[in-house]
Amino acid sequence: MAQSTCGSKEKLCWQLKINGTVQGVGFRPFIYNLANDCNLGGWINNSSAGVMIEVEGTYENLVFFQQQLQNNPPQLANIESVELKPIPSRGYKFFSIAPSKTENLKTALIPADAAVCNECLEEILNPLDRHYLYPFTNCTQCGPRFTIIKDIPYDRVNTTMSSFALCPDCSEDYGDITNRRFHAQPVACPACGPKMEIIDRKGINVTGPENWLSFAWKQLLAGKILAVKGIGGFHLACIADQHVVELLRTRKKRSGKPFAVMCRDLEAVNKYCHLNETEKQTLSSSSAPIVLLKLKGTPCLPQSINPGLSTLGVMLPYSPLHFLLLQGPLELMVLTSANPTDLPILKDNHEALEYLHGIADYFVIHNREINQRCDDSVAFCYNDKPLLVRRSRGFVPNPIILGFNAREIVLGIGGDMKNTFCLINKNQAILSQHLGEINTVEAEDHYLESLNHIIKFYDLKPKILGYDLHPIYNASRLAKNLPAEYKYAVQHHHGHLASCLTDNHYHDKALGIILDGTGYGPDEAIWGFEILHGDLLDYQREYHQRYTPLLGGEYSINNPWVMALSYLLEYYSNREGTEIIQELFAKDFPEELDLVLKTASKSRNHVKTSSCGRLFDAVSALLGICHVNTYEGQAAIELGELVIDQLDNKASDPYPFMISQSEIDFLTIFPAILEDLKKNKDLALIAKRFHDTVIKAVTSATLITAERRGLKTIALSGGSWNNPYLLTKTVNILQAHGMDILLPKNIPFNDGGLCLGQAAIAYRRWKENVPGCSDENS
Ligand SMILES: [Zn+2]
Ligand SMILES: [Zn+2]
Ligand SMILES: [Zn+2]
């Protein structure tokens, strides 16, 4: 290589600063070998500011070096920019790796956790290798990163591996530039690394590192529930047996929310689920998310895993520990994150023992500490691309590259549900892991702890802050106490629109179809079915669903039948409505019904809503599919399930609806659905007709607005778009009318991506000198 690129004899010296994810990904050995191949002298070091390189050699060799560096970097590396500066010749004879430096400016990036690589797996299965059956095997291409890093630069002393001194063999690998483990910070083997053990509910040790695996298999087969310490926290594991899964549900007090499963390999996945190329790639990627897949039906899995659903969340083993658990008699196990209700995922051994004491029979634990809690990510595939439902392990803290360069540090606080926060620094947005609901003291502590961690990591002090307009959001309350000079309250659905625009580097005006659950509007109503026209600065509300009372507020959200009742009361005269309602709900809710009817008649000042989630809830309840939500979004998800197989069918006749100047009115679909029910029409057909009605209404209103505003770009955001039928059909129709559709690329449709929009809006407003909110009136 060097010979072929040798030309002029004159030696030049270049200094290169590499920005991006280049630490902990085998970048230094890659550069070392490349520099030697190119006959270059010089050095490379990791510093808190990134990777610095000085190389000296002929012009041709330097150019070749730079091209290789940018075009063929290591698998997990993500180079964003290379700053190149010619410097005076230093007379370097050799290339060396200089020691890491800590500097005040911390802009280096931390890699995300990466699923175990094939080379490590081969060693784990090789009885002659010292990593044989070792659950902490890793290398520069794989292993834990974000979850074990305590500070930067990313070196072993700054991780939870610091307490494990390398044995001579590992030390040799670590120091050998030709080895896959060269400077792999979490490197370990049975002689020197973390050790497994299993303890019982009393905390008494029942196995050591030698026999943990066979014991775990035996207990799983016997129907026991195991708490398993993984990469970002604990899971609960059990076999896919109807009774065992029911037992897990009883103990976990989780009646309906679907569990995920982990399969041994793609072959095992394919046995139970339909699988296309994109889904295979997404499952096998180094971020290894849970992928929502369509079940085949036969062979069937117990319905208790995902009651009422035909889709299943599936993941592949992403750590050697999980891989080993599935090397024995099991090709599949139920695996659900172990977080007590409303609390973050558990990460420490003592926490697990305390909180899972009544749930797990045994605890499969080890002494490698988890520094940052991190839930599994979730995705589904649409049009050959994965779309995220939850962006967490495997993705965080990889930055999302922005289409603008911020002059100040900006923080987006996120919402109270599916919370993530976001820090914008220059042209990068760093989103936190999924922090979930911010509705307990523990969750607030977790939020602040994670925020401080990221702020400390990158040394970023936010000057500008965006938060949700909702006056009683806990996250917004936290925001008000944070030190930042400029604070901006952002309407929830404007935040959604901005998040999609920002993720697509789109900064002009666009239309946004925001179909969502709950978002506070400036008129104090709960919004959620909105066609907005706007940009990062401001928005107009072009259309929204006609308001319906949210009887009892939160109570309606948990009880879809109350939402159905509310729509029926709006449509019918009181007497007729009450009779129909009695007929529908008196049997199931004898006591509650009277109370709700009284509440409805007593006052006219109910909170009103235009939420899409509530509309789906109401129809789901009317069809008798789901009267009461046992988990968020259940009624809408189960309604969506009825149409999932009808994507290829032609659109049905929509139910009657009305579009006025600014309102979309679905009230008239309720008597029409009742009519269809009376005729004993198939529920799947009614569900399809309902979906087609919503799609017809939303596309019609959008096309009217597009014409009126002279715009063709349409952003989709809001949690309702996780419904594949709604998404596919709407996009198809709008594209057929020549519209350009923007979908989120790196963030979810739901509130997990909200923080990006909040931060982008706050920054834009600050730039345009819009006065921030004072804490009193915000
Ligand atoms: Zn590896
Ligand atoms: Zn070792
Ligand atoms: Zn939302």
Side-chain angles (χ1 to χ4, degrees):
M1 188 187 297
Q3 285 83 339
S4 64
T5 51
C6 265
S8 149
K9 288 268 158 62
E10 193 199 347
K11 296 240 169 135
L12 302 170
C13 197
W14 286 0
Q15 190 181 68
L16 299 109
K17 182 164 181 272
I18 321 288
N19 300 308
T21 309
V22 284
Q23 296 195 14
V25 292
F27 198 70
R28 286 179 297 175
F30 160 73
I31 292 295
Y32 179 90
N33 289 323
L34 181 61
N36 279 324
D37 283 349
C38 296
N39 262 338
L40 303 177
W43 52 262
I44 176 172
N45 85 349
N46 263 358
S47 77
S48 324
V51 164
M52 290 295 290
I53 300 171
E54 284 191 13
V55 270
E56 185 160 340
T58 63
Y59 177 74
E60 288 81 0
N61 287 351
L62 287 171
V63 169
F64 184 77
F65 172 85
Q66 189 209 350
Q67 283 169 348
Q68 286 298 307
L69 183 163
Q70 290 191 274
N71 298 338
N72 297 307
Q75 199 185 322
L76 295 177
N78 180 18
I79 297 175
E80 274 151 31
S81 65
V82 176
E83 295 169 36
L84 192 157
K85 195 166 80 179
I87 53 170
S89 171
R90 313 269 206 207
Y92 292 126
K93 295 271 181 300
F94 309 101
F95 194 87
S96 63
I97 295 185
S100 297
K101 270 190 203 164
T102 310
E103 285 156 29
N104 288 333
L105 184 68
K106 294 183 175 181
T107 54
L109 296 173
I110 295 150
D113 304 300
V116 56
C117 75
N118 288 334
E119 281 162 288
C120 283
L121 289 181
E122 272 171 32
E123 292 168 341
I124 292 165
L125 291 178
N126 178 2
L128 301 177
D129 193 283
R130 78 176 195 285
H131 301 93
Y132 183 52
L133 301 185
Y134 186 56
F136 305 95
T137 305
N138 66 83
C139 71
T140 46
Q141 304 164 40
C142 75
R145 302 284 190 272
F146 171 70
T147 49
I148 61 162
I149 299 176
K150 296 199 275 194
D151 200 358
I152 57 169
Y154 171 48
D155 275 334
R156 193 174 176 96
V157 288
N158 287 330
T159 71
T160 62
M161 288 298 292
S162 60
S163 55
F164 301 96
L166 292 173
C167 70
D169 285 337
C170 285
S171 207
E172 199 182 317
D173 288 356
Y174 184 87
D176 175 3
I177 193 81
T178 62
N179 193 290
R180 206 174 81 250
R181 298 205 163 84
F182 178 73
H183 284 211
Q185 304 306 339
V187 69
C189 79
C192 64
K195 290 191 174 20
M196 294 297 301
E197 64 172 326
I198 296 184
I199 56 172
D200 66 13
R201 287 172 162 190
K202 293 188 188 117
I204 295 168
N205 173 294
V206 291
T207 83
E210 306 76 30
N211 56 344
W212 73 275
L213 190 55
S214 52
F215 185 88
W217 287 339
K218 199 172 137 199
Q219 297 308 325
L220 283 169
L221 284 177
K224 300 291 184 200
I225 293 164
L226 306 186
V228 179
K229 187 180 187 178
I231 295 293
F234 274 83
H235 284 109
L236 290 163
C238 71
I239 50 169
D241 169 273
Q242 180 77 12
H243 297 293
V244 178
V245 178
E246 273 168 17
L247 179 71
L248 174 60
R249 288 204 178 276
T250 312
R251 287 192 191 166
K252 217 186 164 201
K253 298 188 179 70
R254 180 162 146 175
S255 57
K257 194 173 179 182
F259 291 141
V261 302
M262 185 179 266
C263 290
R264 182 187 289 161
D265 47 26
L266 285 175
E267 200 183 321
V269 181
N270 198 31
K271 199 159 143 187
Y272 299 99
C273 302
H274 297 283
L275 205 50
N276 63 31
E277 243 353 273
T278 314
E279 288 162 342
K280 281 183 197 168
Q281 279 171 18
T282 309
L283 282 166
S284 320
S285 64
S286 72
S287 47
I290 295 173
V291 181
L292 301 174
L293 299 173
K294 182 96 182 63
L295 280 166
K296 282 182 173 168
T298 45
C300 66
L301 287 167
Q303 260 296 299
S304 51
I305 297 178
N306 55 339
L309 303 183
S310 60
T311 48
L312 179 67
V314 181
M315 58 189 141
L316 290 180
Y318 54 82
S319 84
L321 195 165
H322 296 129
F323 174 77
L324 288 168
L325 279 173
L326 288 166
Q327 284 306 297
L330 301 172
E331 61 174 3
L332 172 154
M333 62 183 169
V334 173
L335 203 65
T336 176
S337 66
N339 48 328
T341 313
D342 294 339
L343 293 185
I345 188 169
L346 301 167
K347 73 174 177 71
D348 298 326
N349 295 346
H350 69 88
E351 274 180 357
L353 201 56
E354 181 186 337
Y355 285 104
L356 305 176
H357 176 259
I359 303 177
D361 297 294
Y362 292 100
F363 297 78
V364 182
I365 58 169
H366 54 75
N367 55 348
R368 183 173 73 195
E369 272 179 54
I370 298 169
N371 185 259
Q372 282 294 295
R373 299 169 206 273
C374 202
D375 284 82
D376 293 318
S377 296
V378 184
F380 71 99
C381 294
Y382 165 79
N383 270 359
D384 305 332
K385 279 195 198 83
L387 293 177
L388 289 170
V389 177
R390 184 200 286 159
R391 184 181 188 272
S392 205
R393 178 193 46 77
F395 294 92
V396 170
N398 289 345
I400 294 173
I401 304 303
L402 303 173
F404 60 88
N405 215 323
R407 299 202 301 266
E408 300 289 349
I409 312 292
V410 194
L411 172 64
I413 288 290
D416 263 13
M417 310 264 287
K418 300 184 172 64
N419 181 282
T420 62
F421 62 79
C422 149
L423 278 157
I424 290 183
N425 179 29
K426 300 198 175 84
N427 71 332
Q428 299 181 348
I430 296 158
L431 268 69
S432 74
Q433 71 270 44
H434 166 82
L435 299 170
E437 288 191 40
I438 311 292
N439 57 357
T440 58
V441 176
E442 288 85 351
E444 285 185 18
D445 287 349
H446 179 37
Y447 181 94
L448 291 173
E449 183 202 325
S450 306
L451 179 61
N452 288 331
H453 188 67
I454 299 262
I455 284 179
K456 188 187 88 172
F457 258 20
Y458 298 101
D459 200 16
L460 302 173
K461 285 190 190 66
K463 182 170 174 176
I464 305 159
L465 188 153
Y467 63 95
D468 197 287
L469 185 67
H470 204 307
I472 56 164
Y473 261 13
N474 294 313
S476 301
R477 179 171 44 75
L478 292 177
K480 288 172 194 170
N481 294 328
L482 291 171
E485 274 178 59
Y486 301 89
K487 299 182 183 179
Y488 296 92
V490 174
Q491 197 281 322
H492 188 89
H493 301 105
H494 183 211
H496 270 294
L497 168 64
S499 68
C500 184
L501 297 180
T502 306
D503 198 14
N504 282 282
H505 295 193
Y506 193 90
H507 306 303
D508 293 330
K509 281 196 188 298
L511 300 186
I513 313 178
I514 319 296
L515 302 186
D516 199 30
T518 295
Y520 185 82
D523 60 355
E524 299 185 6
I526 300 300
W527 294 13
F529 195 116
E530 316 299 323
I531 295 175
L532 305 181
H533 161 234
D535 54 20
L536 299 186
L537 191 61
D538 217 341
Y539 72 97
Q540 284 94 41
R541 195 184 193 198
E542 300 280 348
Y543 281 100
H544 64 89
Q545 189 194 171
R546 178 188 184 276
Y547 284 140
T548 306
L550 197 61
L551 300 171
E554 190 81 3
Y555 186 73
S556 274
I557 298 177
N558 298 327
N559 290 274
W561 71 272
V562 177
M563 220 42 237
L565 178 151
S566 185
Y567 274 101
L568 292 169
L569 280 184
E570 285 287 287
Y571 180 79
Y572 290 104
S573 71
N574 266 352
R575 223 182 103 226
E576 198 188 359
T578 311
E579 272 168 25
I580 293 169
I581 287 162
Q582 291 282 357
E583 208 175 299
L584 282 166
F585 303 120
K587 209 174 110 242
D588 291 327
F589 306 97
E591 284 152 31
E592 298 93 325
L593 181 56
D594 276 353
L595 267 171
V596 172
L597 286 172
K598 259 184 213 149
T599 309
S601 63
K602 233 197 284 177
S603 159
R604 296 197 159 270
N605 300 326
H606 301 289
V607 175
K608 294 180 175 69
T609 186
S610 62
S611 159
C612 179
R614 300 297 80 75
L615 173 68
F616 274 68
D617 279 0
V619 172
S620 184
L622 194 64
L623 300 190
I625 294 162
C626 178
H627 284 148
V628 178
N629 279 331
T630 66
Y631 60 91
E632 199 231 324
Q634 180 180 359
I637 291 170
E638 290 182 3
L639 181 64
E641 282 279 317
L642 287 182
V643 296
I644 223 161
D645 282 332
Q646 304 186 64
L647 259 171
D648 297 331
N649 301 357
K650 267 177 54 190
S652 48
D653 275 345
Y655 287 119
F657 63 90
M658 285 190 301
I659 298 181
S660 66
Q661 195 59 27
S662 63
E663 275 189 355
I664 304 172
D665 186 346
F666 290 114
L667 266 191
T668 41
I669 69 172
F670 285 83
I673 290 178
L674 284 176
E675 200 61 33
D676 271 355
L677 282 172
K678 240 187 242 162
K679 290 181 195 153
N680 278 326
K681 289 236 172 112
D682 186 14
L683 288 189
L685 290 178
I686 303 179
K688 176 166 160 49
R689 239 185 122 183
F690 164 69
H691 276 79
D692 290 340
T693 310
V694 172
I695 292 158
K696 175 85 185 156
V698 106
T699 50
S700 306
T702 302
L703 291 170
I704 296 169
T705 315
E707 169 107 45
R708 188 158 70 203
R709 294 291 182 182
L711 287 172
K712 271 176 62 180
T713 305
I714 295 163
L716 306 191
S717 187
S720 302
W721 292 114
N722 285 333
N723 177 323
Y725 187 93
L726 192 63
L727 176 65
T728 310
K729 295 276 185 184
T730 307
V731 170
N732 289 351
I733 293 174
L734 291 174
Q735 281 177 340
H737 281 84
M739 301 290 127
D740 298 325
I741 306 295
L742 304 179
L743 303 179
K745 287 182 171 154
N746 300 290
I747 52 168
F749 282 114
N750 60 38
D751 287 8
L754 189 64
C755 58
L756 180 64
Q758 291 173 338
I761 290 171
Y763 179 67
R764 184 71 186 274
R765 287 189 180 160
W766 173 82
K767 228 176 104 189
E768 305 281 334
N769 294 317
V770 176
C773 313
S774 77
D775 288 352
E776 291 74 42
N777 62 18
S778 54

